[in-house]
Amino acid sequence: MSQINLGGSGLMVPQIALGAMRMGDKTEAEAQEVVETVLSKGVNFFDTADIYGNGASTKSLAKALKAAGAKREDIILQSKGGILSDAGPVADDGILGPRYEFSKEHIIASVDAELARLETDYLDVFLLHRPDVLMQPEEIAAAFNELSQQGKVKQFGVSNMNPWQVELIQSVVDQKLVANQLQFGVMHTGMVDAGLHVNMSDSRSVDHDGGILPYSQLKNMTIQAWSPFQYGMFEGHFIDNDKFPELNAKLQEIADAHHSTKNGIAVAFILTHPANMQVILGSMTPSRLVEMIDGRDVTLTHQEWYDIYFAAGNDLP
């Protein structure tokens, strides 16, 4: 498995990771099979969050890792915190959500709860889960310092933040923010669209993300591409979806040329981008995971990448 240096931190991670958001819905045997499948393919990076199944997904991941015989020193664990659901556990202040919460107390409590669910002493990476507009960066810095000094978290990052939000936090925290989880994939290319349609007035010229893609490259901040197989906002998968015949035909054509699969080519589309992204896979189907992971071995030509981009309904100015 090819590796990347996560945000220039020195932590070497595989280009592909497994996201555990849906693992809480699986039986222990099913979750174990998923974990064993990805480990057998060299994927030892696991991403979860306290909000996933209100902690159930993290617990399922911990059980599956234990059942699979995974040693703590051989795996990389990442979690996220900061989202409070109105259906979730009571927050530190006794008030239910929904809201985002980046107070020092909540960040530390969130990490402690995830450590307990994972049955481990430390997280390799902890991310702030979406931006809290009421955040006070000094509180984040205090939480990060305490967690770092206690050895509970090795690296820190964010998710779904634009450059100025990242800069605001980075201006006060001592630790380099190494990663930003952002949705990106064949059917979610807004970060690319805006860059291609500079100085245009069409809908794709609208930059919704503040230039986060080139910013991340300049700052050596790893983009972790989440939900890479979704279209819309969790409307469904585009692979083998009758709504996208042209796209699936093109993916199959290129897959045949590379002795791969449509799932593999969709992953290769992300990894071909020079931003050196990490792909977070959310599938809980072992056979699909194998196809997706094998996409790391496919090198697309520039024309193939653009052909996929066009087939997904995009254009050039």
Side-chain angles (χ1 to χ4, degrees), residues 101-224:
E101 177 72 63
F102 286 172
S103 66
K104 176 185 176 183
E105 292 75 16
H106 183 71
I107 291 172
I108 292 174
S110 176
V111 169
D112 285 340
E114 281 292 89
L115 291 176
R117 295 181 189 110
L118 288 165
E119 301 179 37
T120 186
D121 296 327
Y122 69 96
L123 292 172
D124 295 282
V125 190
F126 175 74
L127 308 182
L128 297 173
H129 205 174
R130 290 195 173 275
D132 172 19
V133 296
L134 301 180
M135 65 183 175
Q136 298 184 36
E138 292 77 14
E139 288 214 24
I140 296 173
F144 282 10
N145 283 338
E146 184 170 321
L147 291 168
S148 179
Q149 291 165 6
Q150 294 177 347
K152 293 180 178 180
V153 178
K154 305 299 183 183
Q155 305 291 341
F156 297 88
V158 299
S159 72
N160 305 291
M161 291 196 187
N162 65 37
W164 285 111
Q165 291 167 328
V166 175
E167 284 288 304
L168 178 61
I169 297 171
Q170 189 67 85
S171 69
V172 296
V173 301
D174 295 330
Q175 301 80 10
K176 182 182 186 297
L177 300 174
V178 299
N180 192 355
Q181 276 198 6
L182 300 160
Q183 188 174 12
F184 183 76
V186 172
M187 288 296 293
H188 197 99
T189 55
M191 292 187 290
V192 167
D193 301 341
L196 287 170
H197 290 252
V198 171
N199 202 34
M200 303 299 292
S201 58
D202 59 322
S203 61
R204 288 189 176 87
S205 69
V206 178
D207 186 354
H208 296 281
D209 310 302
I212 190 62
L213 181 53
Y215 170 87
S216 300
Q217 291 176 271
L218 282 169
K219 296 294 185 177
N220 193 15
M221 190 176 190
T222 298
I223 291 176
Q224 297 179 327

Side-chain angles (χ1 to χ4, degrees), residues 257-293:
H258 287 275
H259 307 288
S260 184
T261 63
K262 286 179 281 189
N263 283 313
I265 297 303
V267 167
F269 177 85
I270 300 170
L271 296 181
T272 295
H273 193 281
N276 212 20
M277 301 183 199
Q278 184 185 38
V279 182
I280 308 293
L281 300 180
S283 175
M284 292 288 110
T285 304
S287 59
R288 288 193 68 217
L289 283 168
V290 169
E291 292 182 354
M292 293 172 181
I293 295 169

Side-chain angles (χ1 to χ4, degrees), residues 12 44 89 116 164 173 219 227 229 231-232 235 261 273 295-296 305 307-310:
M12 302 304 295
N44 68 338
W164 285 111
V173 301
K219 296 294 185 177
S227 289
F229 286 84
Y231 70 93
E235 292 182 45
T261 63
H273 193 281
R296 71 196 167 183
W305 192 95
D307 286 346
I308 294 169
Y309 183 73
F310 298 146

